[in-house]
Structure formats: structure tokens, C-alpha cells
Amino acid sequence: MAFPDGVTDRRLPTEVTMIDRESLVRRHTVELTEAIASCPLTVGNGDFAFTADITGMQTFTTFHDQAAAHADRRLAVNTTTMSTWGWHSMPNPDGFVLSDAMSSYETARGPVEYPDKFDMAAAFGGQVAEDYRAGTWLHTNPQRLDLGRIGLVLRPGTGAAPESDPAALGNPRQRLDLWTGMLTSVFEYARAEVRVTTVADPHHDRVAFRIESELLTDGRAAVALKFPYAGDGFFNASDWSAADRHTTTPELLGEGGCRLRRVLDDTTYTVHLDWSQATLTATDDPHAFELTTHGPVLEVVAAFSPEPDPEFGPVGFEPIARATTAWWRDFWTSGAAVDFAGSTDPRAAELERRVVLSQYLTAVNCSGTQPPQETGLVTNSWQGKFHLEMHWWHAAHFPAWGRPELLERSLAWYLAILDAARSTARRQRYEGARWPKHVGPDGRESPSDIGALLIWQQPHPLYLLELLYRGRGAAERERLVARYAELVEETALFMASFVESRDDGYHLPAPLVPAQEFYTAATTEDPTFELAYWWWGLEIAQRWRERLGLERHKRWQRIQDGLVPPHQDQGRYTAIATEPYLRRDDHPSLLCALGVVPATPLIDAATMEATLLDVLGNWEWDSAWGWDFPAMAMTAARIGRPDLAVDALLMDSPKNRYLPTGHSPQMGSVLPVYLPANGGLLAAVSLMTGGWEGADTDCPGFPDDGTWSVRHEGFTTWP
């Protein structure tokens, strides 16, 4: 039955009921009663984020030191301040350029060079061969910056050494109110209570704090501001041992504020502070300052900007808190919602928790003006760079959940690097634009023996644009088609020139690396997922031409009609069409050929069902990744197996667990945050709930056996 505003309710077919969104969201408020190294909490706006420890600030940085924890095989997450614009490159005295990291591969087009000279294991161990030095520098630069740490100084007595261990706190209680975006932290110290309220401005790169405690009046509590040099390691965005390699210059603006100019090699940025009734004092460390007051309440606002003279004026805590509350209430009351209350399946409450928290986390970390890194704006991984094959998993769900504007913010970045993508294609003797895999904000790809040859990111901009188109109204659709026409054309031109024509049809030829990355690039051909994705990407480009009033492209159509079918073995698809055909570790990405990708002429649903059953029964699940479980759920839903969809989405597996914060750790302590899992979960749930073109039942991804009560509203139908 249809309900007002698109509300549907499998459980109550005779009642007209709106979802109580505030109750839905607030029953998943995050509450912590102890300091957990892997569970800091983040406030942010997609382009800027502040990650706080149990104090609501960045007080116990050693406790959250991710690199140290990794060395001890513990799980921890850094507390950082990060942005989409905050990047740095180390000096390059050798003048390394991308051609220094190239190797030649034989192709049907003749010898082609790919930048593959990077050894990640050697870089981790610090033993880089001479021939790989250029690739290592190019891979690790630029790196995303930790813009600074803002924490409490807590002393047991006036003049005593500050506390460094959160165990010194008594009765800690921390609450992230998802409905308002407000983080409240309360604890006892030195026989007094301390209360910290933390909010991030939804429209500007600034964070605000209200600190309330009698400890402020005599100096036993103060605010510390510390600024590091950049770090080019895998985890850390900061180096605290290089004080002579950067400068922090304070400029006092008046009694209530100060501007700090930061210079790190060629990178500069500004930190603008304003406060209530306090004094900023320099310390023996040229990059550390303390803010003290004689009153029981201290309000501090810290604004960060790449501009040397940002137009920041005193704004105060309250206006930011009001703006934050308004933004988050609007977020939760717009777009889609799904409510599993009343389900008898014991997994329903956990799925609902994951769904609500994943909406918060992807809004904070994945909705900015650049594609996100896999660990978002929480902490670094791979020096903070984007993995463009993951952009789909971070952000494809936004239009399906009725929030297309949160995806569109990052799509414009592809236009900014279009010339670089064209240059890559020309160098490899292709037409159009080849999108990189591992990349920083400037669009230069990073050397990698996997990333340089990966291809499944190529159709992503087309699919993301198609989802965006479906999520917009008529007037906005016309604007989108015009704005992104060149990007669509150039992407499809590369895809059409990438295929190789042979007597039996069009192939995806070697060298390539498929989404299941551990096949030999020089010999791998015709991966199942990528074949179906190539057809679907070209089909989107054809539709875009029709929307522009053009005819379908004849060559693209010949390729679509002539793509070879995926390889099969015993009635099941294999991952690739060359030996060894199928490995049973890493991503079971062959399933994405019908699930992530809608139905195409290349894939038979019955054969895909047999493939899914084989994967579920025989895969090495410890080696799978967080987005693999949603991908399987999407496949199960599209082939008419909702029972398997739920089982796959909620499989008990090491990389499919979600912490109290909503984060899904991967690879032990290597990736304690992995946002493709959160975005993938939301994509799968939206498909399972809102359905797709041709689905003839409500909630086609959930069993219709009475165990699941699925009330939903606002979803956009998938292709």
C-alpha cells in the first residue's frame, strides 16, 4: 500500500503511519562510559572534521596513537583535525616525476608504460630499492595534513605535570547526539566535574567548544593547542619530532582572539581562534600554546583556512551550536528513512543501528568537495589519498537515500582533473580520459603495481552521474546533462578504445587488474564484473547522448552488442577468463556483475545464483572486505533471494563487525576505520528496501515471511 510522501509499511498494511524519525535516530545515540582507543568520535561537515577522545577534545593523543598501537597489534584511531583542502608535499630534491616510476608492458598497441614501481611492503619496512625511490616519493606525496590538536590540559594541582592517561578520569560519560550533531563529554577529575560540549560548524571549517568546570578557575584545567609537522607514513598525518621544519606564528587580534599562521614547506594555512574571557600563552614548544581563564566556563572557536587572511570574525559557541542542530535536524528529516522496529529477526536492531550510524558517518566524511579517502576525515590511510574505485562505495547511496546533493559535491572534482585523465589515456595510446585509482587532489596518479592497471573505477563516474540524475528533479536533470556531457563522452571514449576486437567479439585485454586484485596483470583478461560494468557504463553514456538530443553512438553500440560473455565453469561464473580463472580470497567481485550492476545482456540470473551459492559456501571470508558483504546482498536481492541478501549483509565475519562508533575495522589494526563498508551497507539497504526498475514487490531484498517489519519512506528506485 502507498502511504503519504512515499511511506510504505509491510507490518501495518491498513494504517497510514509516518516514521517518527527523531525516535528512530535517537535510539541509536552513541554513548560511551570508558575511554576506548579504537572509538574516538567525530564531528564534521564533509569538508572538515574534528575527532575527539573521551574528553570531547584531543587530550590523550598518545592513548590514540595509531602507529604505536599497530606496532603492538592493538586497535586504535588517531584523534586528528582534517580537511579536504589540507595537503602537504615533502621536499623533492631529486625532482622525481611520474616517468621515473614506469615499467613497459607489451600490448596489442605496442609497448606501453605504466607507473608501477612502488613496493608497499618495502615502504612500510623502510627498505626501498634504488629503482623504487621515485615511485615511493610519488606514492606518498602529497599527504593529507593533521591541521592541529586542541585538547585539555588537566593537572592534579597548580603547576603539576599534565595527565597523559585517560585512566585518571573518573566516571566518564560521553554522548554523541546524532539528531543534533552535538558531542557532550562529562567526567570527574581532581574531585571536580568537567563538562565539554563539542560541535562542528556545518558550513565552515571550524569547531567550537564549551568547557565548564571549577578546575578552570585556578589553572588545573586549560586548553592546549599543538601543531605538528606533516607525516608521510601510512597512518599518521603528523610528525611531532620535526619542530624545526615548520613555523607557527601568532598574531594577537585582541583580547578575545588570535590568528596563527602555519607554514610547512610550500603549504600554508591559518588558524583563527576566538574565545571568551581567556588568555593565550606561548610555551617552550614553538608550536604549542595554552589558553587559560579565571572563570568556570570557557568557550573556544577554532577556524581553519587555506587562505592567509580568512574573513573570520568572532562568532561564538552558541551560533555554531544552533547552526549545527538545525543542519542535522534537516538532514534527518529529509531524504529517506527505514525503521525495523517490530521485526522478530534478532538481527534487525543491529542492522538499524548500523544504518543510522552509517548515515551520520558518511555525511561527516564522504560528502565533501573531493572523493574521500577510505578512512575519511578521521585518520589517514595511504597518506590520505583517494581510492577512486572506492568512490562508488563511499557515496553512491546518497541519491538512493534522497540526498543527491551530498554526492554532487564531489563529482565536480572529476572535471577539475579531466585534462590529467586525458593525458594518461594518450600516454597509453587510448582515446578519451582514463581515471586513476590512487590519487591526490591534483589528479596525478600514484605509482602502484595494482593501481596503475586497475580498470573498474573507469565506469564509476558514469554510474554515479546516472544515480545523481535519477535523484534530481526535471530542471536539475537538464543542468546535470549539460554540465557533465564532456566528462561522460571522454569516459566512454576511453572505455570504447580500451576493448580489443578479435574474431569472437570484443575483449577486455591484458594488461589489467580486476577488482579482485591478486591476479597477474600481464595475463589477466575479461574479468566477469568488469565485462558487465563495461556494457552498463557504455549504456549510461548512450542514454546521456539521447538526453542531449544526439543519436546513440554506433561504435559504442557495436561494442555493447559484441562484448564476449564472461567465462563459466560447471555452470558458474569465474572471476576472469584466463588461468587461474578463480581465486577464493579477497573480493568476490564477480558477483557485482549482477547486483551492483543492474541486469545486462551479458549475465544470466540463474548462473549468477549458482555462483553466489558457491561463493557463500566456499570463500575465505577472513580475507574479504567490508564492502563485499553489501555487494553480495545486492546480488542476492536482484536474483530473488532476499533470505540470502539479509544473511550476506549481516554475516558474522571479522571484517563485517561494527564498533560502538559505527566504524568497521579491517585488516586488524591497519584500517580501524573503513567507510566503504558504511557506504556499501547504505547502498545495499536502499536497494533491498526501495527496489529497482522491474522489481515487482515492496522491499524486495527482505524475506516476506513475517520476520522483518520494514517501514520506509523517501527512497529513490535503483536502475
Side-chain angles (χ1 to χ4, degrees):
M1 174 179 177
F3 287 79
D5 296 325
V7 178
T8 58
D9 189 331
R10 175 180 289 173
R11 181 188 57 181
L12 302 172
T14 62
E15 297 181 25
V16 177
T17 308
M18 296 294 291
I19 294 173
D20 183 345
R21 295 196 179 202
E22 183 172 357
S23 294
L24 169 65
V25 172
R26 280 201 151 135
R27 63 178 173 249
H28 301 292
T29 294
V30 181
E31 298 190 69
L32 302 176
T33 56
E34 61 177 324
I36 305 173
S38 60
C39 291
L41 292 168
T42 304
V43 293
N45 60 27
D47 277 320
F48 171 83
F50 180 91
T51 297
D53 62 24
I54 194 68
T55 67
M57 302 180 78
Q58 296 161 340
T59 303
F60 300 111
T61 55
T62 301
F63 180 74
H64 287 277
D65 188 324
Q66 194 172 326
H70 175 69
D72 296 337
R73 299 183 180 276
R74 294 181 292 107
L75 194 63
V77 179
N78 291 316
T79 52
T80 59
T81 307
M82 304 183 86
S83 70
T84 52
W85 51 259
W87 292 84
H88 168 268
S89 284
M90 296 293 177
N92 184 11
D94 295 297
F96 293 130
V97 293
L98 198 61
S99 59
D100 297 331
M102 299 277 191
S103 294
S104 182
Y105 288 73
E106 288 299 324
T107 75
R109 305 176 315 284
V112 175
E113 290 193 326
Y114 293 87
D116 65 349
K117 290 185 178 178
F118 173 72
D119 185 335
M120 185 171 175
F124 252 104
Q127 303 294 324
V128 178
E130 179 64 27
D131 197 34
Y132 281 69
R133 287 181 58 241
T136 300
W137 190 93
L138 292 160
H139 187 93
T140 58
N141 287 277
Q143 58 279 154
R144 197 185 302 265
L145 281 172
D146 183 346
L147 299 174
R149 305 287 176 88
I150 307 173
L152 285 175
V153 179
L154 297 170
R155 297 182 173 93
T158 304
E163 296 288 355
S164 60
D165 188 342
L169 308 184
N171 193 25
R173 291 99 68 202
Q174 190 169 52
R175 187 173 188 267
L176 176 59
D177 184 348
L178 303 169
W179 184 254
T180 65
M182 195 166 293
L183 177 63
T184 304
S185 309
V186 184
F187 57 90
E188 296 165 7
Y189 179 74
R191 299 182 299 280
E193 183 178 87
V194 180
R195 176 180 293 269
V196 178
T197 308
T198 310
V199 291
D201 192 313
H203 308 296
H204 303 283
D205 299 339
R206 55 192 173 197
V207 59
F209 311 92
R210 174 183 285 151
I211 306 150
E212 303 169 76
S213 180
E214 292 297 325
L215 298 177
L216 292 166
T217 61
D218 62 5
R220 286 180 293 165
V223 172
L225 299 106
K226 302 177 181 178
F227 300 95
Y229 184 63
D232 62 358
F234 182 90
F235 304 111
N236 285 347
S238 55
D239 180 353
W240 298 95
S241 66
D244 59 339
R245 298 185 66 179
H246 59 122
T247 61
T248 307
T249 306
E251 299 175 354
L252 204 58
L253 301 179
E255 293 184 358
C258 177
R259 184 167 57 212
L260 301 169
R261 294 189 182 275
R262 297 275 296 130
V263 179
L264 304 85
D265 304 308
D266 293 332
T267 297
T268 62
Y269 66 96
T270 302
V271 185
H272 189 292
L273 306 167
D274 63 83
W275 54 75
S276 60
Q277 301 296 317
T279 302
L280 186 71
T281 306
T283 70
D284 292 339
D285 183 334
H287 309 291
F289 306 85
E290 280 195 18
L291 191 61
T292 57
T293 185
H294 295 298
V297 178
L298 175 58
E299 294 181 354
V300 184
V301 177
F304 297 79
S305 173
E307 303 300 326
D309 295 299
E311 296 181 0
F312 286 130
V315 63
F317 175 87
E318 278 298 336
I320 295 176
R322 287 195 299 270
T324 300
T325 297
W327 193 92
W328 281 104
R329 284 180 176 168
D330 181 66
F331 173 83
W332 292 115
T333 54
S334 63
V338 61
D339 184 339
F340 297 124
S343 299
T344 59
D345 191 305
R347 302 168 293 180
E350 172 60 13
L351 178 57
E352 188 182 274
R353 183 186 78 90
R354 295 181 183 188
V355 165
V356 171
L357 288 174
S358 293
Q359 289 178 80
Y360 176 84
L361 292 174
T362 53
V364 167
N365 292 284
C366 305
S367 67
T369 52
Q370 296 173 0
Q373 64 170 319
E374 293 186 3
T375 45
L377 296 173
V378 178
T379 184
N380 263 4
S381 57
W382 286 280
Q383 292 78 32
K385 291 186 177 177
F386 329 137
H387 286 180
L388 292 189
E389 86 281 18
M390 290 294 101
H391 193 191
W392 195 97
W393 294 100
H394 285 283
H397 66 89
F398 285 130
W401 282 79
R403 300 179 181 118
E405 69 282 357
L406 297 186
L407 168 61
E408 188 171 1
R409 295 182 71 199
S410 60
L411 286 182
W413 176 82
Y414 287 90
L415 295 174
I417 71 159
L418 183 55
D419 284 344
R422 284 194 186 104
S423 296
T424 299
R426 285 196 300 270
R427 189 186 74 235
Q428 298 173 359
R429 305 182 188 179
Y430 293 119
E431 300 174 40
R434 179 170 190 163
W435 303 110
K437 185 270 195 206
H438 182 89
V439 64
D442 59 356
R444 174 186 60 76
E445 66 177 316
S446 300
S448 166
D449 59 344
I450 292 173
L453 294 141
L454 204 71
I455 64 168
W456 69 289
Q457 74 276 14
Q458 189 64 24
H460 276 354
L462 300 174
Y463 201 170
L464 293 172
L465 282 169
E466 184 68 11
L467 294 171
L468 185 60
Y469 180 89
R470 297 172 67 84
R472 289 295 200 182
E476 285 294 292
R477 287 179 174 183
E478 186 176 343
R479 176 188 62 82
L480 284 172
V481 169
R483 184 180 189 192
Y484 290 101
E486 184 180 19
L487 184 150
V488 170
E489 182 84 2
E490 293 294 292
T491 302
L493 282 172
F494 170 81
M495 293 175 64
S497 65
F498 184 84
V499 301
E500 186 175 296
S501 178
R502 300 175 189 166
D503 291 343
D504 59 342
Y506 290 97
H507 292 258
L508 297 180
L512 66 80
V513 172
Q516 187 185 1
E517 295 176 348
F518 300 116
Y519 295 99
T520 303
T523 58
T524 295
E525 295 195 335
D526 293 326
T528 293
F529 169 33
E530 284 80 351
L531 280 169
Y533 206 8
W534 236 247
W535 189 97
W536 172 232
L538 289 174
E539 177 62 23
I540 295 169
Q542 298 279 37
R543 295 180 185 183
W544 220 263
R545 288 178 61 85
E546 292 172 336
R547 292 162 187 164
L548 287 164
L550 303 173
E551 293 183 353
R552 290 174 72 91
H553 197 293
K554 291 183 173 58
R555 179 167 176 248
W556 300 353
Q557 191 64 57
R558 286 197 301 272
I559 293 170
Q560 287 181 274
D561 295 341
L563 280 169
V564 295
H567 184 265
Q568 296 185 33
D569 179 38
Q570 299 181 44
R572 302 185 294 265
Y573 292 115
T574 60
I576 60 177
T578 49
E579 292 184 351
Y581 301 115
L582 178 66
R583 287 178 47 162
R584 297 182 181 275
D585 60 343
D586 194 51
H587 305 295
S589 56
L590 71 168
L591 300 177
C592 296
L594 179 55
V596 171
V597 175
T600 69
L602 291 175
I603 301 298
D604 174 70
T607 305
M608 183 57 77
E609 181 176 6
T611 306
L612 173 63
L613 291 170
D614 179 66
V615 167
L616 287 170
N618 298 289
W619 210 259
E620 296 176 16
W621 291 113
D622 286 2
S623 70
W625 289 74
W627 60 265
D628 295 332
F629 306 97
M632 286 190 294
M634 297 176 82
T635 299
R638 286 198 192 259
I639 63 171
R641 293 296 305 270
D643 55 328
L644 297 181
V646 172
D647 288 346
L649 192 62
L650 294 167
M651 184 183 293
D652 183 11
S653 184
K655 293 183 187 172
N656 197 35
R657 63 188 181 97
Y658 286 68
L659 301 178
T661 55
H663 287 301
S664 179
Q666 312 282 300
M667 296 178 67
S669 58
V670 175
L671 287 173
V673 171
Y674 190 66
L675 287 154
N678 301 96
L681 175 86
L682 295 176
V685 169
S686 65
L687 181 84
M688 294 163 65
T689 305
W692 56 91
E693 289 178 335
D696 57 2
T697 61
D698 181 41
C699 301
F702 288 92
D704 191 12
D705 59 4
T707 60
W708 282 89
S709 165
V710 187
R711 298 178 58 224
H712 63 92
E713 59 191 23
F715 285 101
T716 299
T717 303
W718 281 77

